[in-house]
């Protein structure tokens, strides 16, 4: 019910109005409701700028996700795939061997928080550009949809997303409980949530027409068969793997380069922090990488609560988990 209360003149909800239990569970970051979604407070100006100043191009590729749904993996796979002619995935000096995947592509929220110089750098990037965002589909500029930019979305089974989020946030907030993390997500008030509206926005865009410019991927499918999904991704972005490339093992090299074991073994991913917003160590981006880990952490009541929310919010939509 708290989601339906009055907004201020800018469509924001004041942080001080939030119930304290929610604040405790909210990852220690102040969230504001903006156009129906809970954004970290500092991202609200970025969301406004993205809507008004981002100039999408028809050949842009936007990676989108909720945090903890496999973003880092998808960013790495998309970068390795799209840059494979400049950087063969088997090369000893491949950028992914000395940079964290998030350093290889622009993060839209970061660009539009970073001032004019960052925006100019994005403008100066040659096409096709590859960028990522956590923004909901509804908050992307209409010009992005109109010009036909491609969007690749990854979603994940929500209970696993919650467990992953809890582990991740505990690296900087050890007192955070799984119950509070779950409560925030189930209440809709987690980063860029409600998670059901986030996933549904991209799901509907992906199923709206046979030639939709949104590719909807699932973390579990990627785990089950990474090569087939990378092939789909390459095809979708207009850079299909040729039979000769497959024969030469380029597709397999991309998958190997971006595997969890490989990425987490690299010095660059063992040190440093992810970013200024949340000072989590980079190594926390690479944890277990399996489907179904929730059974090891959630009580039956917790699992039922999440399943009930999913059934309630998504049961009639055709999107299931
Ligand atoms: P777990 O915490 O369940 O292990 P994000 O990048 O959106 O923050 O998602 C993080 C999740 O993706 C973590 O899940 C992490 O272990 C997993 N992950 C990161 N890199 C991966 C990779 N190369 N292959 C498979 N899973 C990966």
């Amino acid at each position: 019910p708290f989601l339906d209360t009055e907004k201020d003149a800018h469509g924001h909800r004041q942080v001080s109005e939030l119930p304290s239990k929610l604040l405790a569970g909210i990852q220690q970051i102040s969230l504001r409701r903006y156009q129906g979604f809970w954004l970290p407070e500092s991202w609200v100006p970025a969301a406004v700028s993205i809507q008004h100043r981002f100039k999408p191009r028809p050949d842009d590729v936007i990676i989108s996700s909720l945090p903890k749904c496999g973003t880092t993996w998808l960013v790495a796979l998309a970068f390795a795939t799209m840059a494979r002619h400049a950087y063969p995935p088997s090369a000893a000096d491949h950028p992914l061997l000395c940079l964290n995947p998030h350093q290889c592509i622009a993060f839209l929220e970061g660009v539009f928080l970073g001032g004019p110089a960052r925006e100019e750098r994005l403008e100066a990037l040659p096409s096709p550009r590859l960028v990522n965002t956590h923004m909901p589909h509804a908050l992307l500029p209409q010009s992005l949809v109109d010009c036909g930019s491609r969007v690749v979305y990854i979603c994940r089974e929500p209970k696993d997303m919650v467990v992953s989020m809890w582990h991740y946030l505990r690296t900087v907030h050890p007192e955070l409980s799984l119950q509070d993390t779950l409560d925030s997500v189930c209440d809709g008030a987690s980063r860029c949530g409600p998670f059901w509206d986030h996933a549904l926005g991209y799901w509907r865009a992906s199923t709206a027409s046979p030639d939709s410019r949104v590719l909807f991927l699932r973390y579990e499918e990627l785990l089950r068969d990474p090569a087939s999904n990378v092939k789909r991704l390459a095809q979708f972005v207009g850079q299909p793997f040729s039979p000769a490339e497959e024969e030469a093992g380029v597709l397999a090299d991309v998958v190997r380069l971006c595997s969890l074991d490989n990425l987490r073994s690299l010095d660059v991913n063992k040190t440093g922090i992810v970013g200024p917003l949340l000072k989590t160590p980079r190594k926390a981006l690479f944890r277990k990488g399996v489907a179904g880990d929730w059974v090891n952490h959630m009580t039956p009541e917790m699992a039922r609560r999440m399943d009930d929310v999913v059934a309630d919010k998504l049961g009639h939509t055709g999107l299931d988990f």
Side-chain angles (χ1 to χ4, degrees), residues 43-66:
W43 288 9
V44 174
V48 175
S49 300
I50 290 169
Q51 286 175 320
H52 291 101
R53 293 211 301 276
F54 178 44
K55 296 192 203 79
R57 302 176 192 162
D59 51 10
D60 279 344
V61 175
I62 322 289
I63 303 291
S64 182
S65 62
L66 278 172

Side-chain angles (χ1 to χ4, degrees), residues 65-74 76-77 101-102 134 154 156 160-161 163-165 167-168 191 219 222-223 255 257-264 283-291 293:
S65 62
L66 278 172
K68 313 324 293 171
C69 289
T71 318
T72 312
W73 190 16
L74 183 57
L77 289 168
H102 295 288
H134 290 310
I154 185 160
R156 186 176 193 187
D160 280 343
M161 176 188 74
V163 165
S164 181
M165 188 182 292
H167 279 290
Y168 183 70
R191 255 200 295 173
Y219 180 77
L222 218 49
L223 279 178
V255 171
L257 174 66
C258 301
S259 69
L260 183 58
D261 282 346
N262 187 49
L263 292 182
R264 81 162 135 223
K283 70 172 189 238
L285 288 169
F286 308 95
R287 193 182 67 93
K288 205 164 175 183
V290 298
D293 190 37

Side-chain angles (χ1 to χ4, degrees), residues 31-32 53 65 85 93 202 219 298 302 310:
L31 299 185
R32 273 178 179 248
R53 293 211 301 276
S65 62
H85 300 300
D93 60 349
Y202 286 95
Y219 180 77
M298 286 192 182
M302 288 173 162
V310 169

Side-chain angles (χ1 to χ4, degrees), residues 200-211:
L200 203 50
Y202 286 95
W203 168 256
R204 288 198 166 129
S206 77
T207 55
S209 72
D211 57 349

Side-chain angles (χ1 to χ4, degrees), residues 133-182:
T133 184
H134 290 310
M135 285 293 151
H137 191 264
L139 297 196
L140 296 178
Q142 184 58 38
S143 56
L144 187 148
V145 178
D146 293 342
C147 83
S149 307
R150 292 177 178 86
V151 178
V152 184
Y153 185 72
I154 185 160
C155 77
R156 186 176 193 187
E157 202 285 326
K159 296 190 291 302
D160 280 343
M161 176 188 74
V162 167
V163 165
S164 181
M165 188 182 292
W166 175 58
H167 279 290
Y168 183 70
L169 296 170
R170 273 177 52 192
T171 59
V172 277
H173 300 293
E175 73 288 358
L176 184 67
S177 71
L178 178 57
Q179 186 67 56
D180 276 346
T181 311
L182 176 77

